[in-house]
């Protein structure tokens, strides 16, 4: 866990919030026009941006700003909790790019939007 913790600690993080006044942990607060902010971040050099959660990916999908989707399916049915992309205003057709299975039964699938 320590190598992962050191790696994630060193990475620049961006926090999208209209409620926070400040952030720490090597992070920058993103406010204002989400689309413009993400487009500017995507133009910077680096290995791309990763996001998680429910609300931010939904907003980015609505804006057409997601270049790749990665879904990890765990072998457990919860029956409750937030639903990813619930309420999306339009379909996003995807093309499977890769798939990886783990001994645990988890499956990681990477998709790109069909253009």
């Amino acid at each position: 866990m320590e190598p992962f913790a050191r790696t994630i600690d060193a990475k620049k993080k961006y926090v999208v919030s209209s409620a926070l006044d400040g952030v720490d942990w090597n992070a920058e607060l993103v406010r204002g026009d989400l689309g413009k902010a993400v487009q500017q971040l995507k133009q910077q050099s680096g290995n791309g941006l990763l996001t998680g959660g429910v609300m931010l990916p939904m907003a980015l999908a609505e804006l057409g700003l997601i270049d790749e989707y990665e879904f990890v399916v765990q072998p457990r049915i919860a029956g409750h909790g937030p639903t990813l992309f619930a309420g999306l205003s339009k379909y996003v057709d995807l093309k499977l790019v890769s798939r990886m299975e783990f001994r645990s039964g988890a499956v990681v699938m990477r998709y790109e939007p069909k253009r």
Side-chain angles (χ1 to χ4, degrees):
M1 211 43 196
E2 280 187 39
F4 173 77
R6 281 193 302 273
T7 300
I8 197 77
D9 188 50
K11 294 288 182 184
K12 178 75 174 182
K13 290 161 266 314
Y14 300 94
V15 178
V16 178
S17 174
S18 59
L20 294 175
D21 292 325
V23 292
D24 55 12
W25 195 37
N26 195 23
E28 180 181 320
L29 190 57
V30 176
R31 289 202 169 160
D33 186 315
L34 178 63
K36 284 182 183 177
V38 171
Q39 287 172 337
Q40 288 174 344
L41 289 171
K42 287 173 72 170
Q43 290 174 359
Q44 295 177 10
S45 64
N47 293 328
L49 301 167
L50 303 173
T51 186
V54 175
M55 293 176 63
L56 183 56
M58 171 78 138
L60 295 173
E62 286 285 356
L63 294 169
L65 290 173
I66 298 178
D67 299 318
E68 183 177 284
Y69 293 80
E70 184 172 283
F71 301 108
V72 180
V73 178
Q74 299 289 345
R76 173 174 286 175
I77 298 173
H80 60 84
T83 304
L84 193 58
F85 300 112
L88 191 63
S89 68
K90 59 188 177 281
Y91 290 113
V92 178
D93 292 316
L94 303 173
K95 174 180 72 170
L96 183 65
V97 175
S98 68
R99 179 183 187 280
M100 187 182 337
E101 259 183 73
F102 293 92
R103 284 186 308 205
S104 66
V107 180
V108 177
M109 295 164 290
R110 282 185 38 237
Y111 292 89
E112 291 177 350
K114 287 184 180 177
R115 307 233 183 227

